[in-house]
Structure formats: C-alpha cells, structure tokens
Amino acid sequence: MDILVATGNKNKIKELSQIMPEHRFLTPADLNIEYDYDETGTTYCENALGKALCLHKLVGKPVLAEDSGLSVPALNGDPGIYSARYGLKEGLKLNDAEKNAYLLKNMEAIKDRRAFFVCSMVLVMNEYRYFVVQETMEGEIALAPAGNNGFGYDPVLYIPASGKTVAQMCDDEKNALSHRGKAGRKMKLIIESLAKELD
Ligand code: IMP
C-alpha cells in the first residue's frame, strides 16, 4: 500500500520502510506537495496529530505522521519535543553531534541518567477519525557518544540490556527494540484493519 507520511525526514522514512516493508512510504516532496508544519503542540502526540491533520487538509486523503524525540526526566523532559531544535532556545544552532555534546554537558552534574526515546505515531483518516500509538525505548544517557549507525541522539542513548548505545546497533536490532519499531508494528495492525479504506 502507498502511505503518505507528513515528514521530510529521510531517516524516519528509512526506518518506517524497514519496519513495514510491505508498504511504500511517500513524502509530500515525492508528490510535489509543498508542506510545512510549525510545531506548536506541547506534547509529542499533539505535534504528531497536528502534522497529520495539516497535510490531510491539503490532500484530502489518509496521512501518517510521527513526532519523536529524547526525553530525560532529570532535565524536566528536555530535549523532548524540542529534540530537533535542542539549543535553539539558548540561541545555539547545533548539528546532531553538537546536540549530543550539549546534552552530555547538561548531564554533567546529574546522577539520574534515565532517558526515553518517544515516538507518537498518528494515522489520520479524516478530520474526525484518527488512530494514535505512542511507544518508548528506555535507556540511560551514556557518558560519551559511541557508535556510527542511526541518527540524532542514537550515539548517546545506552541500552543496558544490550550493552551498547543505539548507534552501536545494526538496523534490525534498533528496529526490534526502538520506540519507532514498537509504534510502527502496532500501527501496522491498524493499517491492516483499515486496508479496504486505504487502498
Ligand atoms: P521531529 O521531526 O520533530 O519528530 O524531531 C525528531 C528529532 O528527535 C530528530 O531530529 C532527532 O533529533 C530525535 N530523534 C527522534 N527519533 C530518533 C531516533 O530514533 N534516534 C535518534 N534521535 C531521534
């Protein structure tokens, strides 16, 4: 099935395609649709729903969206919904490696290093009908970045049960354990249950 996703993030599309290989995930750019959503929500779920509804309004068809990030309880949930823009509030424009370094600096004096990747995934059928799944991947903020796979904060989330950071995992291992993998596999069941309406 072709599924339109409200994102421009190639890493998300790559992982969704690995998690649900039976579907083809298309972006607004693939369909030459100009789409931009200003994230104004206060939760992952609000932002995921906002992205999906915004694109649905443009195309009038079902849309999948997700909002994700890294939440650290000891930092009051930061970077959280601001994960992609971490540092911007302080006037810093950081790339992924710099965001990881900034996070490690902010964690220096902190003992409680628990952290969660969160993925809120929404399938909007129409303005009044949508399905939401939100999942997590629990770990600890590493003392230093490690690994080269994945993207974003993968090098700094250490998963004790695996003995490695997410960036030290191969794609299959990450997808089996990740917030996006868990949410995607549940969303897959919802998509299958709606197959006739999505065709
Ligand atoms: P969004 O596009 O607003 O959902 O921003 C998501 C941001 O959260 C990304 O730019 C990454 O910084 C971070 N993030 C989300 N999922 C992952 C992941 O699986 N690994 C590492 N970082 C992630």
Side-chain angles (χ1 to χ4, degrees), residues 9 12 15 39 51 66-70 81 83-84 96 99 117-118 151-154 174 179-180:
N9 186 325
K12 290 183 179 181
E15 290 188 3
E39 288 181 22
K51 291 177 196 181
E66 69 112 273
D67 196 61
S68 48
L70 178 69
I81 57 168
S83 289
D96 279 355
K99 278 183 213 149
F117 273 149
V118 181
F151 69 102
Y153 297 92
D154 283 346
K174 176 179 175 184
H179 50 321
R180 190 167 295 103

